[in-house]
Amino acid sequence: MAKQNIYVTGAEQGSGKSIIMLAMMDMLAGYAGKIGFFRPIIHESEDKDELIQLIRHRYQIELPYEAMYGCNMEEAQALVDKNKYQELLKRILTKYRALSEQCEHVLCVGPDYSGDNSLFEFDFNAEVANNLGCLIMPVVQGQGRNNLQIVDAVNRLKYALNEFDCDLLASVINGVDPEQIESLRLRFDHNPKSRFPVYIVPAEPSLEKPSMGNIARQLNAEILTGNNQTLNLLVSQYKVAAMQVPGFIEHIESGDLIITPSDRADIILACLMAYTSTNYPQISGLILTGEKDNYQQIMYLLEGLEESPFAVLSVECDTFNASKQIQEVKAQIYSQDERKIATALGLVESNLNFEELKQRLIEQHPTRVTPLMFEYEQVQRAQADQQHIVLPEGIEERILHAAEILLLRNIVKITLLGNVEEIQQKIKKLGLSLESIKIIDPLTSELRELYAEEYHEMRKEKGVTYDMAFDTLSDVSYFGTMMIHMGHADGMVSGSIHTTQHTIRPAFQIIKTKPETSIVSSVFFMCLEDRVLVYGDCAVNPNPNAQELADIAISSAQTAEMYNISPRIAMLSYSTGESGKGEAVDKVRQAVKLAKKQRPDLKLEGPMQYDAAVDMGVAKTKLPDSEVAGHANVFIFPDLNTGNNTYKAVQRSSGAVAIGPILQGLNKPVNDLSRGCTITDIVNTVVMTAIQAQSKTDNPET
């Protein structure tokens, strides 16, 4: 079975998702070698998360407990309160990916709903599932609802899934009254070919009852006597023993939990006697309240019994408060509760078709790439092979903040250019942790003479003398570019306080273009909600001719491949196919021919309009035989006017994250920032530059 991970979540509070989770884990365990389990958020408590403990114990998972969750609820809420929601998602994704890399399959289970806490609503789980790249399996509550209410809940779920564009494995309605099962199954389809398969699991009363173990854990009670067998006994109801013994034993029922003060030795002894008598029903357990000193002799008595007939628990609160707390206890499955586990597995396995689910797992291959997923992957690649990036604008605050982030995360090595004392003062003023960063002042650096000699040698035919070269090397952009040329750095990022020309002119003169490329161009990575698109050229060339357009397309395809995007290239125009005429569309048509001649292996087509490139419905009408139309992910615009306006329109209208411009066609990477760039923009651009630098070329510079 192809690797595909699953995200089980409740569609609402009280869905009973844990029994579905258990059955899905059992299914995966039968088909995979090493399986993992992950929870995005857990509730902070003295004990470890019950579901993680259950799965680790039952399936002998040897992964560290801390690797199996993203963060605790307290940390998550703190990040949200500080408007750091994206940071929360990044933390979850980082820990999930680290776990996923060690496993063949991972089952994720969403956090429990917690009152009005917005962190635990379905939209959060849908967003997390999308960012983790999982097939989602939502569970709807069926208990206590009639068919109309259940259908309404399922319709609301369907709407939410469509709104978030989730990749669905199947939906489950759990805890349905057996009398409603048949009519609901006629209403909902679970065929594996269905777009919205729905399975229905009937209610099982025993799973809705808490066990003595549940009560002991959730009340943090001391277990005076009891073993796995007695702690697994189910509690049907509880009774407070306030009467004298004759009145009390008259009211005993099977499955009772008896609550009594610890000084009521008569009640304790009556419970023990009633349990052994065939004339009275058997209780499930006893809980003693108040001072512990009151039952030392009773404990001595219990310890002398060959077998403990039921669990005896102790809590320090009074009887009234103990009764209130017991009402809040939830029926949960824990690792030693083999009876409940067997009941849950039998119930779900007889109502879910696992062969159908396995078929959907094999056939479902989500192609979703969220901005968070894309950013995470690039950061991981940059960290794996650290490059040395020079930042010429060392005095700029945004650059310094970005440099701190990059160094703290061990993404790249950095050199700042500028006046050393001024930069150090700025770092101190901002309170940044940049003690280990390297700072070079081009005006005083011993490298200036070496670089001037090399630059003079390269440009002397253009009339550049040594003195002119020495003066030129006082400029941070020229100095930084020479660092790359001489192998003292791997890439450069600039432009936050300099113009594009100031950044890239030295690169044209010193680094130059690759031999097979006639033009330096650029791309933007447009990170939409569920995919990443490549737009070129939107920043450099005003009106490229056909050959230049072909080169831009080929360079853009190479750039896409560099960032693990399999290029399907649409050469855009105002006309699709052979229908249009005119100089502009002819240029695109010619560019397509030239690009295909140079790279016949590429999936590249045009001219086509943007709607035909991205919309399957339009593509079937206009280009029915195309393997690019409707599936394009690399878009080549015919001129700068079209490209620049389009990328900004998409960015502002859709909320897409635009990373770039990323320059392409140079022998070594130099990238330009917008003067309005944010700290995040700088970090992203440095990361992308580092990955470009990892793909070092052996081509001689021309």
mmCIF file of all heavy atoms in Angstrom, residues 158-194:
data_model
loop_
_atom_site.group_PDB
_atom_site.id
_atom_site.type_symbol
_atom_site.label_atom_id
_atom_site.label_comp_id
_atom_site.label_asym_id
_atom_site.label_seq_id
_atom_site.Cartn_x
_atom_site.Cartn_y
_atom_site.Cartn_z
ATOM 1 N N LYS A 158 -20.094 18.232 5.326
ATOM 2 C CA LYS A 158 -19.758 18.245 3.898
ATOM 3 C C LYS A 158 -19.424 19.661 3.438
ATOM 4 O O LYS A 158 -18.465 19.881 2.686
ATOM 5 C CB LYS A 158 -20.922 17.676 3.081
ATOM 6 C CG LYS A 158 -20.604 17.527 1.586
ATOM 7 C CD LYS A 158 -21.808 17.048 0.798
ATOM 8 C CE LYS A 158 -22.184 15.638 1.137
ATOM 9 N NZ LYS A 158 -23.241 15.113 0.234
ATOM 10 N N TYR A 159 -20.202 20.614 3.903
ATOM 11 C CA TYR A 159 -19.945 22.018 3.538
ATOM 12 C C TYR A 159 -18.573 22.455 4.039
ATOM 13 O O TYR A 159 -17.810 23.109 3.323
ATOM 14 C CB TYR A 159 -21.035 22.909 4.131
ATOM 15 C CG TYR A 159 -20.815 24.383 3.886
ATOM 16 C CD1 TYR A 159 -21.194 24.979 2.681
ATOM 17 C CD2 TYR A 159 -20.206 25.177 4.857
ATOM 18 C CE1 TYR A 159 -20.974 26.332 2.453
ATOM 19 C CE2 TYR A 159 -19.981 26.527 4.640
ATOM 20 C CZ TYR A 159 -20.379 27.100 3.438
ATOM 21 O OH TYR A 159 -20.146 28.431 3.214
ATOM 22 N N ALA A 160 -18.240 22.087 5.285
ATOM 23 C CA ALA A 160 -16.943 22.482 5.861
ATOM 24 C C ALA A 160 -15.791 21.828 5.106
ATOM 25 O O ALA A 160 -14.764 22.468 4.841
ATOM 26 C CB ALA A 160 -16.895 22.100 7.338
ATOM 27 N N LEU A 161 -15.942 20.563 4.744
ATOM 28 C CA LEU A 161 -14.891 19.865 3.999
ATOM 29 C C LEU A 161 -14.658 20.513 2.635
ATOM 30 O O LEU A 161 -13.525 20.653 2.183
ATOM 31 C CB LEU A 161 -15.247 18.391 3.831
ATOM 32 C CG LEU A 161 -15.224 17.536 5.098
ATOM 33 C CD1 LEU A 161 -15.835 16.168 4.823
ATOM 34 C CD2 LEU A 161 -13.801 17.384 5.622
ATOM 35 N N ASN A 162 -15.751 20.915 1.987
ATOM 36 C CA ASN A 162 -15.626 21.599 0.692
ATOM 37 C C ASN A 162 -14.982 22.962 0.858
ATOM 38 O O ASN A 162 -14.161 23.384 0.037
ATOM 39 C CB ASN A 162 -17.005 21.741 0.032
ATOM 40 C CG ASN A 162 -17.538 20.421 -0.478
ATOM 41 O OD1 ASN A 162 -16.774 19.510 -0.786
ATOM 42 N ND2 ASN A 162 -18.853 20.297 -0.564
ATOM 43 N N GLU A 163 -15.358 23.653 1.927
ATOM 44 C CA GLU A 163 -14.810 24.991 2.166
ATOM 45 C C GLU A 163 -13.296 24.933 2.353
ATOM 46 O O GLU A 163 -12.569 25.791 1.845
ATOM 47 C CB GLU A 163 -15.464 25.611 3.402
ATOM 48 C CG GLU A 163 -15.012 27.035 3.681
ATOM 49 C CD GLU A 163 -15.665 27.620 4.923
ATOM 50 O OE1 GLU A 163 -16.343 26.873 5.663
ATOM 51 O OE2 GLU A 163 -15.495 28.825 5.155
ATOM 52 N N PHE A 164 -12.816 23.918 3.059
ATOM 53 C CA PHE A 164 -11.379 23.790 3.301
ATOM 54 C C PHE A 164 -10.693 22.925 2.248
ATOM 55 O O PHE A 164 -9.477 22.737 2.303
ATOM 56 C CB PHE A 164 -11.126 23.207 4.692
ATOM 57 C CG PHE A 164 -11.367 24.192 5.801
ATOM 58 C CD1 PHE A 164 -12.586 24.233 6.447
ATOM 59 C CD2 PHE A 164 -10.387 25.094 6.165
ATOM 60 C CE1 PHE A 164 -12.821 25.148 7.470
ATOM 61 C CE2 PHE A 164 -10.607 26.008 7.184
ATOM 62 C CZ PHE A 164 -11.824 26.047 7.834
ATOM 63 N N ASP A 165 -11.468 22.413 1.286
ATOM 64 C CA ASP A 165 -10.921 21.602 0.200
ATOM 65 C C ASP A 165 -10.080 20.452 0.747
ATOM 66 O O ASP A 165 -8.944 20.216 0.326
ATOM 67 C CB ASP A 165 -10.088 22.476 -0.741
ATOM 68 C CG ASP A 165 -9.743 21.754 -2.039
ATOM 69 O OD1 ASP A 165 -10.501 20.862 -2.448
ATOM 70 O OD2 ASP A 165 -8.687 22.067 -2.633
ATOM 71 N N CYS A 166 -10.645 19.732 1.717
ATOM 72 C CA CYS A 166 -9.916 18.639 2.365
ATOM 73 C C CYS A 166 -9.881 17.402 1.473
ATOM 74 O O CYS A 166 -10.808 17.148 0.687
ATOM 75 C CB CYS A 166 -10.577 18.272 3.698
ATOM 76 S SG CYS A 166 -10.498 19.565 4.939
ATOM 77 N N ASP A 167 -8.817 16.622 1.602
ATOM 78 C CA ASP A 167 -8.724 15.314 0.946
ATOM 79 C C ASP A 167 -9.355 14.286 1.887
ATOM 80 O O ASP A 167 -8.798 13.972 2.949
ATOM 81 C CB ASP A 167 -7.265 14.969 0.653
ATOM 82 C CG ASP A 167 -6.640 15.937 -0.337
ATOM 83 O OD1 ASP A 167 -7.234 16.124 -1.417
ATOM 84 O OD2 ASP A 167 -5.580 16.505 -0.036
ATOM 85 N N LEU A 168 -10.510 13.767 1.498
ATOM 86 C CA LEU A 168 -11.320 12.925 2.387
ATOM 87 C C LEU A 168 -11.030 11.447 2.187
ATOM 88 O O LEU A 168 -11.002 10.958 1.062
ATOM 89 C CB LEU A 168 -12.811 13.203 2.129
ATOM 90 C CG LEU A 168 -13.813 12.396 2.945
ATOM 91 C CD1 LEU A 168 -13.757 12.787 4.417
ATOM 92 C CD2 LEU A 168 -15.220 12.582 2.391
ATOM 93 N N LEU A 169 -10.815 10.737 3.298
ATOM 94 C CA LEU A 169 -10.772 9.277 3.247
ATOM 95 C C LEU A 169 -12.199 8.746 3.352
ATOM 96 O O LEU A 169 -12.680 8.043 2.463
ATOM 97 C CB LEU A 169 -9.906 8.720 4.372
ATOM 98 C CG LEU A 169 -9.869 7.190 4.478
ATOM 99 C CD1 LEU A 169 -9.283 6.578 3.216
ATOM 100 C CD2 LEU A 169 -9.072 6.746 5.705
ATOM 101 N N ALA A 170 -12.887 9.078 4.408
ATOM 102 C CA ALA A 170 -14.292 8.705 4.598
ATOM 103 C C ALA A 170 -14.799 9.419 5.845
ATOM 104 O O ALA A 170 -14.014 9.855 6.686
ATOM 105 C CB ALA A 170 -14.449 7.196 4.758
ATOM 106 N N SER A 171 -16.113 9.531 5.962
ATOM 107 C CA SER A 171 -16.730 10.093 7.159
ATOM 108 C C SER A 171 -17.416 8.970 7.925
ATOM 109 O O SER A 171 -17.837 7.968 7.338
ATOM 110 C CB SER A 171 -17.759 11.165 6.786
ATOM 111 O OG SER A 171 -17.143 12.230 6.111
ATOM 112 N N VAL A 172 -17.532 9.144 9.235
ATOM 113 C CA VAL A 172 -18.163 8.135 10.084
ATOM 114 C C VAL A 172 -19.203 8.813 10.963
ATOM 115 O O VAL A 172 -18.934 9.856 11.569
ATOM 116 C CB VAL A 172 -17.126 7.420 10.975
ATOM 117 C CG1 VAL A 172 -17.815 6.378 11.854
ATOM 118 C CG2 VAL A 172 -16.033 6.768 10.139
ATOM 119 N N ILE A 173 -20.405 8.237 11.011
ATOM 120 C CA ILE A 173 -21.416 8.656 11.993
ATOM 121 C C ILE A 173 -21.367 7.621 13.102
ATOM 122 O O ILE A 173 -21.628 6.436 12.874
ATOM 123 C CB ILE A 173 -22.823 8.718 11.374
ATOM 124 C CG1 ILE A 173 -22.821 9.547 10.090
ATOM 125 C CG2 ILE A 173 -23.810 9.311 12.376
ATOM 126 C CD1 ILE A 173 -24.115 9.452 9.307
ATOM 127 N N ASN A 174 -21.044 8.048 14.295
ATOM 128 C CA ASN A 174 -20.766 7.120 15.385
ATOM 129 C C ASN A 174 -21.825 7.207 16.480
ATOM 130 O O ASN A 174 -22.318 8.285 16.797
ATOM 131 C CB ASN A 174 -19.380 7.436 15.972
ATOM 132 C CG ASN A 174 -18.991 6.451 17.046
ATOM 133 O OD1 ASN A 174 -19.195 5.250 16.916
ATOM 134 N ND2 ASN A 174 -18.414 6.953 18.131
ATOM 135 N N GLY A 175 -22.161 6.041 17.049
ATOM 136 C CA GLY A 175 -23.071 6.008 18.197
ATOM 137 C C GLY A 175 -24.533 6.158 17.833
ATOM 138 O O GLY A 175 -25.317 6.719 18.605
ATOM 139 N N VAL A 176 -24.922 5.634 16.676
ATOM 140 C CA VAL A 176 -26.303 5.773 16.198
ATOM 141 C C VAL A 176 -27.195 4.715 16.853
ATOM 142 O O VAL A 176 -26.792 3.558 17.022
ATOM 143 C CB VAL A 176 -26.354 5.630 14.658
ATOM 144 C CG1 VAL A 176 -27.784 5.702 14.147
ATOM 145 C CG2 VAL A 176 -25.488 6.709 14.007
ATOM 146 N N ASP A 177 -28.420 5.103 17.196
ATOM 147 C CA ASP A 177 -29.404 4.154 17.720
ATOM 148 C C ASP A 177 -29.605 3.040 16.692
ATOM 149 O O ASP A 177 -29.839 3.309 15.507
ATOM 150 C CB ASP A 177 -30.730 4.876 17.957
ATOM 151 C CG ASP A 177 -31.753 3.998 18.678
ATOM 152 O OD1 ASP A 177 -31.889 2.810 18.312
ATOM 153 O OD2 ASP A 177 -32.416 4.503 19.593
ATOM 154 N N PRO A 178 -29.477 1.758 17.112
ATOM 155 C CA PRO A 178 -29.607 0.645 16.163
ATOM 156 C C PRO A 178 -30.875 0.690 15.316
ATOM 157 O O PRO A 178 -30.869 0.229 14.164
ATOM 158 C CB PRO A 178 -29.578 -0.592 17.070
ATOM 159 C CG PRO A 178 -28.780 -0.152 18.265
ATOM 160 C CD PRO A 178 -29.140 1.286 18.470
ATOM 161 N N GLU A 179 -31.950 1.236 15.856
ATOM 162 C CA GLU A 179 -33.196 1.285 15.095
ATOM 163 C C GLU A 179 -33.122 2.266 13.917
ATOM 164 O O GLU A 179 -33.930 2.196 12.999
ATOM 165 C CB GLU A 179 -34.352 1.675 16.019
ATOM 166 C CG GLU A 179 -34.665 0.614 17.077
ATOM 167 C CD GLU A 179 -35.859 1.004 17.938
ATOM 168 O OE1 GLU A 179 -36.446 2.091 17.679
ATOM 169 O OE2 GLU A 179 -36.206 0.234 18.856
ATOM 170 N N GLN A 180 -32.158 3.171 13.939
ATOM 171 C CA GLN A 180 -32.026 4.161 12.861
ATOM 172 C C GLN A 180 -31.022 3.733 11.789
ATOM 173 O O GLN A 180 -30.918 4.371 10.745
ATOM 174 C CB GLN A 180 -31.557 5.509 13.447
ATOM 175 C CG GLN A 180 -32.502 6.126 14.457
ATOM 176 C CD GLN A 180 -31.877 7.324 15.156
ATOM 177 O OE1 GLN A 180 -31.859 7.417 16.366
ATOM 178 N NE2 GLN A 180 -31.339 8.255 14.385
ATOM 179 N N ILE A 181 -30.295 2.666 12.052
ATOM 180 C CA ILE A 181 -29.169 2.292 11.186
ATOM 181 C C ILE A 181 -29.606 2.052 9.747
ATOM 182 O O ILE A 181 -29.026 2.598 8.797
ATOM 183 C CB ILE A 181 -28.467 1.024 11.736
ATOM 184 C CG1 ILE A 181 -27.783 1.335 13.068
ATOM 185 C CG2 ILE A 181 -27.469 0.479 10.723
ATOM 186 C CD1 ILE A 181 -26.537 2.155 12.957
ATOM 187 N N GLU A 182 -30.621 1.227 9.555
ATOM 188 C CA GLU A 182 -31.006 0.816 8.198
ATOM 189 C C GLU A 182 -31.416 2.009 7.342
ATOM 190 O O GLU A 182 -30.997 2.135 6.185
ATOM 191 C CB GLU A 182 -32.142 -0.213 8.267
ATOM 192 C CG GLU A 182 -32.379 -0.953 6.954
ATOM 193 C CD GLU A 182 -31.144 -1.692 6.465
ATOM 194 O OE1 GLU A 182 -30.399 -2.246 7.301
ATOM 195 O OE2 GLU A 182 -30.908 -1.679 5.232
ATOM 196 N N SER A 183 -32.239 2.882 7.882
ATOM 197 C CA SER A 183 -32.707 4.030 7.102
ATOM 198 C C SER A 183 -31.557 4.978 6.764
ATOM 199 O O SER A 183 -31.505 5.559 5.669
ATOM 200 C CB SER A 183 -33.811 4.779 7.858
ATOM 201 O OG SER A 183 -33.344 5.222 9.122
ATOM 202 N N LEU A 184 -30.602 5.134 7.677
ATOM 203 C CA LEU A 184 -29.459 6.015 7.407
ATOM 204 C C LEU A 184 -28.536 5.406 6.358
ATOM 205 O O LEU A 184 -27.960 6.120 5.531
ATOM 206 C CB LEU A 184 -28.686 6.284 8.699
ATOM 207 C CG LEU A 184 -29.344 7.269 9.680
ATOM 208 C CD1 LEU A 184 -28.563 7.324 10.986
ATOM 209 C CD2 LEU A 184 -29.433 8.658 9.065
ATOM 210 N N ARG A 185 -28.400 4.094 6.372
ATOM 211 C CA ARG A 185 -27.542 3.447 5.365
ATOM 212 C C ARG A 185 -28.145 3.551 3.969
ATOM 213 O O ARG A 185 -27.422 3.582 2.973
ATOM 214 C CB ARG A 185 -27.284 1.989 5.749
ATOM 215 C CG ARG A 185 -26.250 1.889 6.867
ATOM 216 C CD ARG A 185 -25.872 0.479 7.216
ATOM 217 N NE ARG A 185 -24.810 0.487 8.222
ATOM 218 C CZ ARG A 185 -24.571 -0.482 9.082
ATOM 219 N NH1 ARG A 185 -25.343 -1.572 9.060
ATOM 220 N NH2 ARG A 185 -23.589 -0.387 9.954
ATOM 221 N N LEU A 186 -29.444 3.606 3.901
ATOM 222 C CA LEU A 186 -30.080 3.843 2.601
ATOM 223 C C LEU A 186 -29.850 5.276 2.133
ATOM 224 O O LEU A 186 -29.811 5.552 0.935
ATOM 225 C CB LEU A 186 -31.586 3.558 2.699
ATOM 226 C CG LEU A 186 -31.981 2.098 2.917
ATOM 227 C CD1 LEU A 186 -33.485 1.995 3.165
ATOM 228 C CD2 LEU A 186 -31.593 1.261 1.688
ATOM 229 N N ARG A 187 -29.692 6.176 3.108
ATOM 230 C CA ARG A 187 -29.501 7.597 2.791
ATOM 231 C C ARG A 187 -28.059 7.907 2.379
ATOM 232 O O ARG A 187 -27.803 8.732 1.515
ATOM 233 C CB ARG A 187 -29.888 8.425 4.024
ATOM 234 C CG ARG A 187 -29.597 9.922 3.936
ATOM 235 C CD ARG A 187 -30.488 10.607 2.922
ATOM 236 N NE ARG A 187 -30.313 12.044 2.927
ATOM 237 C CZ ARG A 187 -29.279 12.694 2.399
ATOM 238 N NH1 ARG A 187 -28.306 12.004 1.838
ATOM 239 N NH2 ARG A 187 -29.229 14.015 2.443
ATOM 240 N N PHE A 188 -27.085 7.225 3.001
ATOM 241 C CA PHE A 188 -25.670 7.529 2.754
ATOM 242 C C PHE A 188 -24.967 6.358 2.071
ATOM 243 O O PHE A 188 -25.215 5.199 2.382
ATOM 244 C CB PHE A 188 -24.955 7.856 4.066
ATOM 245 C CG PHE A 188 -25.451 9.110 4.721
ATOM 246 C CD1 PHE A 188 -26.163 9.045 5.911
ATOM 247 C CD2 PHE A 188 -25.213 10.350 4.153
ATOM 248 C CE1 PHE A 188 -26.620 10.191 6.531
ATOM 249 C CE2 PHE A 188 -25.667 11.511 4.762
ATOM 250 C CZ PHE A 188 -26.375 11.433 5.946
ATOM 251 N N ASP A 189 -24.040 6.708 1.197
ATOM 252 C CA ASP A 189 -23.311 5.722 0.401
ATOM 253 C C ASP A 189 -21.869 5.642 0.897
ATOM 254 O O ASP A 189 -21.261 6.654 1.210
ATOM 255 C CB ASP A 189 -23.329 6.161 -1.070
ATOM 256 C CG ASP A 189 -22.543 5.217 -1.962
ATOM 257 O OD1 ASP A 189 -22.418 4.035 -1.597
ATOM 258 O OD2 ASP A 189 -22.056 5.671 -3.010
ATOM 259 N N HIS A 190 -21.322 4.423 0.983
ATOM 260 C CA HIS A 190 -19.908 4.312 1.341
ATOM 261 C C HIS A 190 -19.104 3.595 0.256
ATOM 262 O O HIS A 190 -18.015 3.070 0.515
ATOM 263 C CB HIS A 190 -19.724 3.611 2.696
ATOM 264 C CG HIS A 190 -20.276 2.209 2.746
ATOM 265 N ND1 HIS A 190 -19.666 1.145 2.151
ATOM 266 C CD2 HIS A 190 -21.389 1.720 3.344
ATOM 267 C CE1 HIS A 190 -20.365 0.054 2.377
ATOM 268 N NE2 HIS A 190 -21.427 0.376 3.098
ATOM 269 N N ASN A 191 -19.617 3.591 -0.953
ATOM 270 C CA ASN A 191 -18.869 3.023 -2.070
ATOM 271 C C ASN A 191 -17.515 3.717 -2.189
ATOM 272 O O ASN A 191 -17.427 4.932 -2.081
ATOM 273 C CB ASN A 191 -19.675 3.212 -3.364
ATOM 274 C CG ASN A 191 -19.019 2.506 -4.539
ATOM 275 O OD1 ASN A 191 -17.946 2.894 -4.980
ATOM 276 N ND2 ASN A 191 -19.678 1.469 -5.029
ATOM 277 N N PRO A 192 -16.425 2.953 -2.397
ATOM 278 C CA PRO A 192 -15.094 3.580 -2.464
ATOM 279 C C PRO A 192 -14.948 4.594 -3.590
ATOM 280 O O PRO A 192 -14.067 5.446 -3.545
ATOM 281 C CB PRO A 192 -14.145 2.388 -2.676
ATOM 282 C CG PRO A 192 -15.005 1.253 -3.123
ATOM 283 C CD PRO A 192 -16.347 1.488 -2.523
ATOM 284 N N LYS A 193 -15.807 4.515 -4.604
ATOM 285 C CA LYS A 193 -15.747 5.477 -5.709
ATOM 286 C C LYS A 193 -16.509 6.760 -5.392
ATOM 287 O O LYS A 193 -16.424 7.741 -6.131
ATOM 288 C CB LYS A 193 -16.328 4.853 -6.980
ATOM 289 C CG LYS A 193 -15.594 3.592 -7.454
ATOM 290 C CD LYS A 193 -14.162 3.895 -7.859
ATOM 291 C CE LYS A 193 -13.473 2.631 -8.387
ATOM 292 N NZ LYS A 193 -12.055 2.903 -8.729
ATOM 293 N N SER A 194 -17.256 6.744 -4.291
ATOM 294 C CA SER A 194 -18.051 7.911 -3.938
ATOM 295 C C SER A 194 -17.147 9.077 -3.548
ATOM 296 O O SER A 194 -16.076 8.893 -2.975
ATOM 297 C CB SER A 194 -18.984 7.564 -2.767
ATOM 298 O OG SER A 194 -19.582 8.729 -2.240
#
